[in-house]
Amino acid sequence: MRGYRLSLTFSILASLACLLILTWILFSLFALKTAERDLYAQKGDHARMLLATFVNQLPDSLPNFPEGILPLDASAAIYAGKLAEERSFERLTLLDSNGKVIYTAGNEANDPYRPFLSPASQSDDGAILPGGGSLARTMPVVRNNQVVGRAGLVLSLQDEQHRLERSQQLYLAYFALDFILLLGFGSYLLARIVVRPVARLLVATEKLTGGDYGHQVMVSGPKELAQLAESFNVMSRVLRQKQDEVVAHVQAVEQANRNLKLAREEAIRSEKMASVGLLAAGTAHEIGTPLASVMGYVELVAGELAAGSPQLDYLQRIQEGCGRIDRIVRGLLDYARPKHATCEPVAVGELVHKTVELLRHQGLFKTCRVVVRCAEHLPLVSLDPHQLQQVLINLLINSNDALPDTGGGLLVEVRLADAAQGRWVQLAVQDTGCGISEQHLGRIFDPFFTTKDPGRGTGLGLAISARIIESFGGRITVQSMLGKGSRFTVHLPCNAAPVHQP
């Protein structure tokens, strides 16, 4: 399972925000420390000036404790009193040479020795007293090149600290404003320079995954993204070229397979035709001689009967049946060795009525109902009527055999149809029988293929019929559904010369 991943925009903006925050912290620390040092240095200089003014106003001879102290009416004491009125003033103390207090001014709560509490931290700018709220400054009192005392001054740093706090707040406000502006402007630049080009590349990759190998992407951005887009376009073109090559190879293989299939079917068909030819030759030899004898005796008997005799009609029917047998035998030979058909204009509707009546007289339709529908004013079709009748008889016999023993119905329909190839006469035979399974539909016109029980069919009827119709320039189609019946349709071209098929 893929874990949750942050988006590129969020990741870069978060990194940018962290960098901005770190930069502000470092800058604020540096700026505040610099400002603090400058303010404290200014405060130390101010304290030094005040203390130097106080020392310059001291008398030439300083008293020592406990013999004496600095008089309150001395100019230095008066100056110290005025100095105590300043808001930042906290303590001023004067020590004698023994370190004793001889003068002090300031808040009574402050220790008089407070200016001298941290001499170790004393510097040129003064010393920050513990707690960080005050600055102490000391100065020696020199007379005749000798140190006769020390003066110390403590000033409050409260004003400076307030200024530092205001500066810190101002820095924070500036940072917040800069952060928002930089983050917004950075997100805009990021989206324009990085995110949008990457998004275009992502969409192009999805299209490439979907099979659109020719898709090209245009990216305007940094050099690296432009190079990446160009590499993607090159890859897309190569994939499209490879796809075309694969498609061409597949088409070539499919065409080769079709050619092999056609060659195989032609070989099987030639083999079957050879088998049919051998069968036809044997059949013609075994049946032709006795059949000729039967037909000869029928002609002799018919010549001895008077015209209008009922027996003469029977003999004519026998003669017609024998003729049909002879034509069937010759049809087997024609299937193996097709010959030019003897064509003449034929009215298909009349031929259908005549054939149905012929089969009805022979008792073929005793258990079923036959309906014949022929359109009016059908054009004549140029073909061999005997061969067409043979095809129709085969179709009617097959349809009748497909009906259940309890009966059923047959429909013979003749109509005119228009198609892109011209006008056609369609002869259809439809039954309500058992139907043909889908797996057998593609083989029913093959020689010796039959779905009938053994002994009830040879599998040659539909094969011979298909060959005959093809010799007329037409075709036979079939529609069937198990349990509902089948419909065979013969398509015959109008006024077309028959096509001889080898």
Side-chain angles (χ1 to χ4, degrees):
M1 180 178 179
R2 297 177 59 185
Y4 176 74
R5 295 179 182 270
L6 299 176
S7 64
L8 178 62
T9 303
F10 181 83
S11 300
I12 296 179
L13 290 179
S15 302
L16 180 61
C18 293
L19 291 176
L20 289 175
I21 293 174
L22 181 61
T23 303
W24 175 80
I25 292 175
L26 295 176
F27 173 76
S28 61
L29 289 176
F30 175 77
L32 289 175
K33 287 297 181 182
T34 302
E36 182 182 18
R37 185 170 61 250
D38 293 341
L39 288 175
Y40 288 175
Q42 292 178 5
K43 196 72 172 181
D45 290 340
H46 180 62
R48 181 183 59 80
M49 293 175 59
L50 294 177
L51 194 59
T53 303
F54 173 76
V55 170
N56 290 331
Q57 294 184 13
L58 290 174
D60 294 335
S61 176
L62 289 181
N64 289 325
F65 185 82
E67 288 82 2
I69 60 174
L70 184 67
L72 296 179
D73 57 351
S75 60
I78 296 173
Y79 174 76
K82 293 180 178 180
L83 187 62
E85 296 177 358
E86 290 190 8
R87 186 173 60 177
S88 61
F89 180 83
E90 288 189 1
R91 173 63 60 182
L92 174 63
T93 302
L94 178 63
L95 302 180
D96 61 8
S97 58
N98 297 321
K100 300 297 183 179
V101 178
I102 59 175
Y103 180 80
T104 183
N107 190 354
E108 297 296 335
N110 292 331
D111 186 2
Y113 289 96
R114 191 181 181 200
F116 311 100
L117 289 179
S118 54
S121 62
Q122 191 71 251
S123 64
D124 294 340
D125 296 333
I128 305 300
L129 297 180
S134 301
L135 181 142
R137 182 80 185 191
T138 62
M139 181 177 294
V141 180
V142 180
R143 295 290 185 269
N144 298 324
N145 295 326
Q146 292 184 355
V147 177
V148 296
R150 294 179 64 195
L153 176 64
V154 177
L155 297 179
S156 174
L157 296 176
Q158 185 176 4
D159 293 341
E160 285 72 16
Q161 290 177 349
H162 287 166
R163 291 178 62 183
L164 290 175
E165 290 178 359
R166 288 195 298 271
S167 298
Q168 185 177 6
Q169 294 174 356
L170 187 62
Y171 286 155
L172 182 60
Y174 285 159
F175 167 76
L177 181 61
D178 292 342
F179 182 82
I180 294 174
L181 293 177
L182 290 177
L183 203 61
F185 186 66
S187 63
Y188 169 74
L189 291 180
L190 179 65
R192 182 176 180 180
I193 298 176
V194 178
V195 177
R196 291 178 184 174
V198 171
R200 294 193 189 101
L201 287 172
L202 179 60
V203 172
T205 304
E206 292 176 350
K207 291 185 177 180
L208 192 66
T209 304
D212 187 5
Y213 296 116
H215 183 73
Q216 300 287 296
V217 60
M218 299 300 296
V219 172
S220 59
K223 177 180 178 181
E224 291 77 6
L225 288 178
Q227 291 176 346
L228 179 61
E230 182 61 27
S231 299
F232 176 87
N233 293 334
V234 172
M235 179 185 66
S236 177
R237 289 192 293 268
V238 172
L239 287 176
R240 180 60 179 270
Q241 181 180 359
K242 297 299 182 183
Q243 183 192 31
D244 295 339
E245 293 177 359
V246 170
V247 170
H249 287 312
V250 170
Q251 291 177 350
V253 171
E254 290 178 349
Q255 182 62 36
N257 288 334
R258 286 193 293 268
N259 294 337
L260 289 175
K261 183 178 179 181
L262 292 175
R264 178 176 175 272
E265 292 177 351
E266 186 63 26
I268 294 175
R269 184 176 181 181
S270 299
E271 183 179 352
K272 291 180 178 180
M273 288 174 63
S275 300
V276 173
L278 293 176
L279 176 64
T283 302
H285 176 72
E286 296 296 333
I287 297 178
T289 301
L291 184 62
S293 299
V294 172
M295 295 179 67
Y297 287 121
V298 167
E299 290 180 359
L300 291 176
V301 174
E304 296 178 356
L305 295 176
S309 174
Q311 290 79 7
L312 184 60
D313 181 62
Y314 297 152
L315 291 176
Q316 289 177 351
R317 294 182 183 275
I318 293 174
Q319 190 175 19
E320 289 178 359
C322 292
R324 191 166 68 85
I325 293 174
D326 181 64
R327 287 191 297 273
I328 291 174
V329 173
R330 295 182 183 278
L332 289 174
L333 294 174
D334 293 338
Y335 181 80
R337 296 174 305 185
K339 65 180 182 179
H340 291 283
T342 302
C343 299
E344 60 182 74
V346 176
V348 179
E350 295 180 3
L351 182 63
V352 168
H353 284 288
K354 180 179 179 182
T355 304
V356 171
E357 289 299 322
L358 174 64
L359 295 178
R360 182 178 282 116
H361 283 298
Q362 293 181 2
L364 182 65
F365 307 128
K366 291 182 179 179
T367 61
C368 67
R369 183 173 61 89
V370 180
V371 177
V372 179
R373 297 175 183 172
C374 292
E376 298 180 354
H377 308 296
L378 290 174
L380 300 179
V381 181
S382 179
L383 47 78
D384 188 335
H386 301 291
Q387 290 184 347
L388 180 59
Q389 186 180 43
Q390 179 182 346
V391 171
L392 181 57
I393 290 174
N394 283 330
L395 295 178
L396 290 172
I397 291 175
N398 288 339
S399 297
N400 183 73
D401 292 341
L403 296 176
D405 296 336
T406 57
L410 294 179
L411 171 63
V412 182
E413 186 177 12
V414 183
R415 64 179 181 176
L416 185 65
D418 292 328
Q421 297 82 4
R423 305 182 71 191
W424 299 77
V425 173
Q426 292 183 348
L427 169 59
V429 178
Q430 182 175 344
D431 63 70
T432 59
C434 58
I436 305 172
S437 64
E438 185 175 355
Q439 61 181 352
H440 292 156
L441 281 177
R443 301 179 57 194
I444 58 175
F445 294 109
D446 293 342
F448 304 112
F449 178 80
T450 180
T451 59
K452 297 180 181 179
D453 296 333
R456 296 192 60 186
T458 61
L460 288 173
L462 290 178
I464 294 174
S465 298
R467 293 280 287 178
I468 291 173
I469 298 303
E470 289 174 2
S471 69
F472 296 156
R475 69 183 189 277
I476 298 180
T477 58
V478 59
Q479 296 174 336
S480 183
M481 184 176 295
L482 284 177
K484 294 187 177 180
S486 304
R487 180 183 178 90
F488 288 84
T489 304
V490 178
H491 305 266
L492 300 172
C494 297
N495 300 326
V499 179
H500 174 67
Q501 302 214 3

